[in-house]
Amino acid sequence: SRTRSSQRYVRYASLGLLVTVAIVTLVTFGRLWRSSTAPTDAYMVLGGSIRREMHMAQLASSFPTPPPILISAGSVDPCIRLLFEQAGAPLDNVWLENCAESTFGNFVYSVPLLERWGTRHVTLVTSGSHTRRALTLARILFGARGIWIEPLIVDETGIPGNQETVLKTTLDIGRSLLWAIVAQVHKPTCNRVVSLTSVDLEQWRQRGFKCEHQAGIEGS
């Protein structure tokens, strides 16, 4: 009798878990569908090539009122500010996330920031050689939070810092699937998020900095 009761409990518990997973999955897909039909309400630029930041600066200069722009582990802060200034793009609402050390980290640290802004539809700025892995990880990690991703591919003239391999992609996909579950209860915070308006060029010049040659920034 006790064995039968235990078996019934396991069956009911398993059924309850399956129902819960099904409900959560349906709710998430519903949120994603609604997010996919909404306009872009934030841009995210992946570090690894200054051409992505150059493209974003030019694009931002054409916005009447730019949405939030998050640059994750990009170029040195003053270089990004100079790019936006040269393009005549507004500096307000541009944020630099300097905690990530990998593509996986880009998304792990960015999701809490984007959620804080109420973001539902993100345009992801990256390079062609980096798109497949970046988009796969983003769709797992952002999709788990109901955030839709739309890629914006930037042409490269050199070799981006992000080099793709099958092993790297496989490992990143595996840990992204695990993190999508963990992130439901744990959200890491980055204490190195900087607003572009707060970047002090004079202070940086005293310390010394150098921008990539492609940026065409003189006197840095």
Side-chain angles (χ1 to χ4, degrees):
S1 177
R2 183 176 299 175
T3 301
R4 289 176 181 173
S5 297
S6 298
Q7 290 174 341
R8 281 198 300 269
Y9 174 79
V10 170
R11 284 199 299 269
Y12 289 141
S14 300
L15 180 60
L17 179 60
L18 288 173
V19 170
T20 301
V21 170
I23 292 172
V24 170
T25 301
L26 287 172
V27 169
T28 300
F29 274 109
R31 291 173 62 195
L32 276 175
W33 182 83
R34 290 192 297 273
S35 298
S36 71
T37 60
T40 293
D41 54 3
Y43 283 79
M44 179 179 173
V45 183
L46 293 179
S49 167
I50 200 167
R51 293 197 66 83
R52 301 169 193 170
E53 294 142 19
M54 293 166 64
H55 186 89
M56 187 71 252
Q58 291 294 332
L59 185 60
S61 69
S62 67
F63 294 150
T65 305
I69 297 170
L70 178 62
I71 301 176
S72 178
S75 302
V76 183
D77 295 0
C79 297
I80 298 175
R81 172 156 185 158
L82 288 169
L83 283 176
F84 274 74
E85 287 183 348
Q86 286 188 353
L91 306 182
D92 298 330
N93 233 8
V94 182
W95 300 86
L96 314 178
E97 177 272 298
N98 294 319
C99 290
E101 297 180 352
S102 64
T103 305
F104 175 78
N106 289 143
F107 299 127
V108 166
Y109 286 110
S110 296
V111 167
L113 290 169
L114 294 167
E115 284 192 312
R116 198 179 308 156
W117 299 340
T119 304
R120 300 263 55 93
H121 189 140
V122 175
T123 292
L124 182 68
V125 181
T126 185
S127 307
S129 62
H130 188 228
T131 303
R132 180 177 297 178
R133 182 167 65 94
L135 202 54
T136 300
L137 302 190
R139 283 177 172 159
I140 294 171
L141 295 168
F142 282 21
R145 306 304 300 169
I147 301 174
W148 182 258
I149 289 290
E150 176 183 344
L152 175 57
I153 311 305
V154 177
D155 291 333
E156 294 287 349
T157 58
I159 300 175
N162 311 89
Q163 299 301 307
E164 307 304 305
T165 65
V166 174
L167 178 60
K168 181 195 288 188
T169 299
T170 302
L171 291 174
D172 275 352
I173 290 173
R175 62 176 176 168
S176 293
L177 290 169
L178 290 173
W179 187 261
I181 299 171
V182 174
Q184 303 298 320
V185 293
H186 174 65
K187 297 180 183 180
T189 56
C190 174
N191 58 3
R192 296 170 59 199
V193 177
V194 179
S195 66
L196 197 56
T197 55
S198 71
V199 176
D200 189 332
L201 290 177
E202 189 54 41
Q203 188 178 77
W204 273 95
R205 286 191 176 106
Q206 292 174 8
R207 293 164 53 185
F209 68 93
K210 193 168 186 176
C211 302
E212 288 184 42
H213 178 71
Q214 291 187 70
I217 297 174
E218 300 296 332
S220 58

